[in-house]
Amino acid sequence: MEINSKIEKAKKGDQIAFTFLLDYYWNEVYGFMLKRTENETTAEDITIETFSKAFDKIGTYNNEFQFNTWLIAIAKNVYIDLLRKKKTSLFVEITDAEDQQAYNIADTTPSAEDALIKEQNLSRLLQCIKELKPHYQEVIQLRYFQEMSYQEIAVKINEPLSNVKVKLLRAKKLLAEIIERNR
């Protein structure tokens, strides 16, 4: 089955497989969390963190279970953690382990996708970016216009590096859809 082969490729670090899995399961996880939270922003944040955690731990996925069931279980745990944090603090803390992980990941020059985004007609691109939700606008702005590394963005917006990567991936996907729709 195609899903299983994508999961196996993702376990080996294949970014195209990650993107496929994100696209394939996004609406299911997001819809599940939207029903629970009744808040689009919260549901989106939880979904982003869910995929971030899933991709970080994909090597532990047991294919005896459905992948979407595994994702939903992660989403539930992220939601429970969020509720606990809301009770104890107004600020989300980055753990020492996450902080160290952010410094250990080497973020090199912009990718080919990055270069393509910059080559687009700037005024048309800016109009399309304005159609994104503000938190997606922010990560696009920081990455492509201020040319910040993933690590710098994580520090600037006070979020774990893995969340920044997933947010940028999602922002680029949504931006591509907007650009295509506006052609």
Side-chain angles (χ1 to χ4, degrees):
M1 181 177 190
E2 184 180 6
I3 296 296
N4 288 337
S5 71
K6 295 289 185 187
I7 293 167
E8 288 308 310
K9 287 180 179 178
K11 283 182 176 182
K12 294 175 183 164
D14 185 323
Q15 290 300 311
I16 294 169
F18 281 128
T19 303
F20 174 85
L21 293 170
L22 178 77
D23 292 346
Y24 192 82
Y25 289 106
W26 177 271
N27 288 339
E28 184 174 353
V29 175
Y30 174 75
F32 176 82
M33 290 317 306
L34 186 59
K35 285 179 188 168
R36 282 216 150 158
T37 64
E38 298 177 350
N39 180 303
E40 287 182 15
T41 304
T42 303
E44 199 164 73
D45 288 346
I46 291 169
T47 304
I48 287 168
E49 191 168 342
T50 297
F51 280 98
S52 173
K53 286 179 183 277
F55 292 161
D56 283 347
K57 303 285 186 201
I58 197 156
T60 66
Y61 168 69
N62 180 346
N63 59 7
E64 291 177 24
F65 302 100
Q66 293 292 318
F67 193 72
N68 59 339
T69 304
W70 185 64
L71 288 172
I72 295 296
I74 294 170
K76 286 179 185 176
N77 289 333
V78 168
Y79 183 51
I80 290 166
D81 289 347
L82 180 73
L83 292 175
R84 285 183 186 142
K85 284 180 185 174
K86 279 186 177 179
K87 287 180 182 177
T88 61
S89 173
L90 295 176
F91 299 99
V92 176
E93 295 294 322
I94 295 177
T95 65
D96 289 342
E98 289 170 330
D99 194 44
Q100 189 58 46
Q101 183 182 17
Y103 284 99
N104 289 340
I105 295 176
D107 183 30
T108 58
T109 58
S111 70
E113 286 177 299
D114 300 343
L116 282 175
I117 286 178
K118 289 182 100 174
E119 291 171 13
Q120 293 289 333
N121 177 313
L122 190 57
S123 63
R124 192 173 125 231
L125 181 60
L126 290 172
Q127 280 304 116
C128 292
I129 289 171
K130 286 180 183 174
E131 292 183 38
L132 292 171
K133 290 186 178 180
H135 58 277
Y136 289 143
Q137 289 180 28
E138 180 182 28
V139 293
I140 291 283
Q141 164 73 22
L142 295 173
R143 179 69 178 160
Y144 301 106
F145 294 96
Q146 294 183 25
E147 297 183 354
M148 289 184 159
S149 68
Y150 293 123
Q151 184 176 322
E152 290 168 331
I153 295 169
V155 170
K156 172 96 174 163
I157 65 173
N158 196 26
E159 286 197 26
L161 183 64
S162 52
N163 283 17
V164 170
K165 289 181 177 182
V166 173
K167 261 189 189 174
L168 266 166
L169 182 66
R170 183 74 177 145
K172 287 193 292 187
K173 178 186 180 296
L174 292 170
L175 184 58
E177 290 171 4
I178 292 167
I179 290 168
E180 188 64 34
R181 193 175 60 231
N182 290 335
R183 281 190 173 184

